[in-house]
Amino acid sequence: MESILQNIDLFERLHGGEQIKCKVCGKGSIKPMGNKPIEEEYCFECNHCGAHYRYDPVVVTVE
């Protein structure tokens, strides 16, 4: 459970525009993979080693 909470915090920080070092290589930084605005991006990768970070948001629609 702790790693899930850490990952959610990671994506909140990325969506906030914070520069975060890669946890895999420790040399590169995590950047968005696509051309979407940062708030809408859910796939990120390290610009040094290519490690991927993906987040699948939970969407709940109440009618």
Side-chain angles (χ1 to χ4, degrees), residues 4-62:
I4 292 172
L5 294 176
Q6 289 174 350
N7 287 337
I8 290 172
D9 179 57
L10 172 73
F11 288 102
E12 287 176 353
R13 291 169 53 201
L14 287 167
H15 284 161
E18 186 176 334
Q19 295 291 322
I20 300 175
K21 265 191 166 179
C22 177
K23 294 180 178 185
V24 176
C25 71
K27 296 178 182 178
S29 57
I30 303 171
K31 303 288 183 186
M33 290 180 68
N35 295 327
K36 296 179 186 176
I38 193 80
E39 314 81 43
E40 298 174 11
E41 187 63 63
Y42 296 102
C43 295
F44 296 85
E45 71 179 343
C46 173
N47 62 359
H48 181 75
C49 71
H52 290 133
Y53 298 84
R54 182 184 168 118
Y55 173 67
D56 293 321
V58 176
V59 179
V60 178
T61 305
V62 178

